[in-house]
Amino acid sequence: MTDRPRFEMPDTTAQEVRTAQLESLRETLARVYRQVPHYRRAFDDAGLVPDDLRTLEDLARFPFTTKDDLRAGYPFGMFAVPREKVSRIHASSGTTGRPTVVGYTHDDLETWAELMARSIYAAGGRPGDLVHVAYGYGLFTGGLGAHYGAERLGCTVIPVSGGMTPRQVQLILDFEPRVIMVTPSYFLAILDELETQGVDPRSTSLRIGIFGAEPWTEEMRREVERRSGIDAVDIYGLSEVMGPGISQEAAATKDGLHIWEDHFLPEVVDPVTLEVLPDGEEGELVLTTLTRRAMPVVRYRTRDLTRLLPGTAYPGFRRMQRVTGRTDDMMIVRGVNIFPSQVEELLLTVEGLTPHYLCVLTRPGNLDELTVRVEAHGSVRESDRPDLGARLEGLVKDHVGVTVSVEVVPPHALERSLGKAKRISDQR
Ligand code: DLL
């Protein structure tokens, strides 16, 4: 028995990382070409074979992978190992009703736990800490990713998952965790609940918040730190590439997120021309996995906007700046991703509703709320409108897993567009 962490903070230089990356990258390309029909086709179409990669820069010649590619392989078509070798499945909701499925071998889960342990350590967590995990457990990668990472580091995990805010508060007061892992918006709800119960949030045991899964700002960090007295740090990831723990902000510097480059190769590309941009320039983050077994991805387009910066707290690894936004119109409501097209898809199954709709984002308290304004068909009686709205609310809840309110408005109440329809009105 040992109570020491079962991971070590790597101490490699940038040059060592680059050398190891080239070797892992060559191995990854060879493996996906051999095992995944999609990559064989995509490389063949580009007239490339894995051996055409001789330097890291050669990666720019290889094709991108998009969410649509992953969806086309639904459910298990992108796996590079037989399904029997896959120990766990996660998935994220998508625009077409088909989620994006990701798989992990036993070794992949080990790597993920290791990288999450590293992330929690970089955030200031230490073996023996109590860690309150309020990310959702389930197909979403947040809860389980945080959970196994905290265990790996040697922490005591409190697997609360999201929701039931009064209970979150009770557990924080009774168990006295030092670390909380949660979306920043939900942490604000927890702070509100503490205050409602007459507790000064600065008086709790919490010292570190590891916040991600949705965009948040420096202003938000200041607000949260001021109200709660904790150190609030950023954690980034996406299920298609692994889940949380792809990059992590160090508590010591709070200057953006170190990318664990021994496992992921980052590029930033111009979202329009798709040309690779030099470090320091803002564009779309593209990630290639270097060690993943069940489902490697090559040049995955994240749609997240950021820039690459030199390492600071961990000089061997480059940093990425806090994600400033996405290249598409994804809305994130309480940590759940929702697209206008998902709303559209569902509202079109409700007879009496028209595809004239607008998603209105507001923040009446501290949580984002989404109101869908949708026009009723001319044949619908005014008294029947609330019922149609309730049906759409139910569909969105069932299919997307998020609570929205729907306002069914009279025909022609919404502004018509002359070109592209405006689907999101962000009033936050
Ligand atoms: O949100 C994984 C995660 C869980 C990350 C918990 C951090 C903490 P997905 O549901 O696949 O995975 O959503 C990934 O969320 O492409 C970004 O657009 C956004 N996102 C994730 N982390 C951040 C962050 C998880 N720190 C998508 N800042 C990503 C801004 C973030 N956006």
Side-chain angles (χ1 to χ4, degrees):
M1 284 280 286
T2 169
D3 60 1
R4 283 211 312 275
R6 284 174 288 145
F7 93 104
E8 279 183 27
M9 208 64 197
D11 189 17
T12 37
T13 65
Q15 190 48 49
E16 285 163 351
V17 170
R18 300 298 274 175
T19 306
Q21 277 179 333
L22 181 59
E23 196 178 318
S24 323
L25 181 58
R26 290 172 63 91
E27 205 263 327
T28 296
L29 293 185
R31 203 147 38 79
V32 297
Y33 190 71
R34 228 173 26 241
Q35 314 275 34
V36 186
H38 163 79
Y39 286 108
R40 175 170 291 261
R41 244 189 341 266
F43 292 7
D44 284 349
D45 288 350
L48 292 166
V49 292
D51 276 346
D52 288 326
L53 184 117
R54 297 207 174 77
T55 66
L56 288 175
E57 288 65 40
D58 288 337
L59 184 60
R61 298 168 58 200
F62 283 74
F64 293 104
T65 306
T66 63
K67 202 177 180 88
D68 282 343
D69 294 325
L70 303 196
R71 277 212 193 91
Y74 180 86
F76 304 143
M78 294 298 277
F79 288 1
V81 298
R83 206 272 310 141
E84 293 77 1
K85 300 267 184 231
V86 172
S87 298
R88 201 196 298 162
I89 302 283
H90 279 282
S92 76
S93 63
T95 48
T96 63
R98 277 183 176 185
T100 312
V101 176
V102 290
Y104 306 76
T105 63
H106 177 77
D107 285 356
D108 290 336
L109 292 175
E110 290 289 308
T111 304
W112 188 14
E114 162 103 11
L115 295 183
M116 277 305 291
R118 218 191 255 185
S119 297
I120 298 167
Y121 189 90
R126 291 294 176 268
D129 281 348
L130 276 155
V131 178
H132 180 114
V133 179
Y135 286 119
Y137 280 63
L139 287 174
F140 174 58
T141 52
L144 288 167
H147 183 104
Y148 287 105
E151 280 191 357
R152 173 64 60 91
L153 181 56
C155 300
T156 307
V157 184
I158 310 164
V160 190
S161 195
M164 296 198 271
T165 316
R167 197 184 60 161
Q168 304 267 354
V169 162
Q170 186 196 340
L171 295 179
I172 290 168
L173 296 177
D174 293 349
F175 293 176
E176 302 190 338
R178 180 169 176 265
V179 180
I180 186 165
M181 303 180 72
V182 60
T183 61
S185 60
Y186 192 56
F187 187 63
L188 289 175
I190 292 174
L191 291 184
D192 285 349
E193 179 62 25
L194 278 164
E195 282 169 359
T196 303
Q197 294 189 17
V199 180
D200 176 2
R202 300 183 66 91
S203 72
T204 77
S205 57
L206 291 173
R207 292 292 173 271
I208 294 167
I210 305 178
F211 297 148
E214 62 185 1
W216 57 300
T217 58
E218 283 302 319
E219 291 69 33
M220 173 88 128
R221 174 175 6 231
R222 276 199 290 277
E223 164 74 6
V224 162
E225 292 188 337
R226 184 188 60 75
R227 277 182 70 188
S228 64
I230 66 168
D231 278 318
V233 287
D234 201 359
I235 183 166
Y236 171 84
L238 63 164
S239 49
E240 291 87 344
V241 178
M242 181 178 80
I246 291 168
S247 63
Q248 172 68 48
E249 188 166 54
T253 46
K254 290 188 190 163
D255 56 356
L257 304 91
H258 283 85
I259 303 172
W260 305 130
E261 283 203 79
D262 45 349
H263 296 271
F264 309 100
L265 183 65
E267 300 169 276
V268 166
V269 303
D270 181 311
V272 179
T273 66
L274 301 182
E275 290 296 322
V276 177
L277 298 173
D279 286 7
E281 284 189 30
E282 186 175 87
E284 180 180 336
L285 180 68
V286 169
L287 291 168
T288 298
T289 62
L290 297 172
T291 54
R292 208 169 167 205
R293 308 305 295 187
M295 208 179 115
V297 289
V298 175
R299 304 198 84 202
Y300 186 72
R301 288 188 57 187
T302 66
R303 311 253 166 202
D304 294 318
L305 295 169
T306 184
R307 73 183 85 230
L308 295 175
L309 303 163
T312 52
Y314 304 105
F317 303 114
R318 280 176 291 178
R319 285 169 300 146
M320 58 186 261
Q321 189 185 51
R322 171 193 285 295
V323 170
T324 48
R326 292 182 56 86
T327 54
D328 51 16
D329 271 341
M330 186 172 85
M331 300 174 285
I332 303 182
V333 181
R334 295 172 200 197
V336 178
N337 303 346
I338 176 167
F339 292 79
S341 52
Q342 280 175 291
V343 173
E344 184 172 325
E345 200 176 74
L346 294 171
L347 72 82
L348 283 173
T349 66
V350 180
E351 212 184 325
L353 295 183
T354 71
H356 300 294
Y357 69 98
L358 184 67
C359 299
V360 182
L361 286 166
T362 56
R363 190 177 291 156
N366 280 320
L367 282 180
D368 291 346
E369 297 211 348
L370 172 58
T371 304
V372 178
R373 284 199 196 124
V374 54
E375 287 183 15
H377 194 266
S379 60
V380 173
R381 281 196 311 247
E382 194 176 345
S383 57
D384 289 336
R385 282 191 216 142
D387 181 45
L388 294 184
R391 274 169 59 197
L392 181 55
E393 286 172 1
L395 284 171
V396 175
K397 179 78 190 161
D398 287 347
H399 290 261
V400 189
V402 61
T403 304
V404 303
S405 44
V406 176
E407 270 174 38
V408 181
V409 298
H412 302 291
L414 298 176
E415 199 185 332
R416 293 287 190 276
S417 132
L418 293 176
K420 265 186 189 308
K422 184 180 171 207
R423 291 307 187 197
I424 300 178
S425 167
D426 195 338
Q427 302 178 357
R428 289 173 294 177

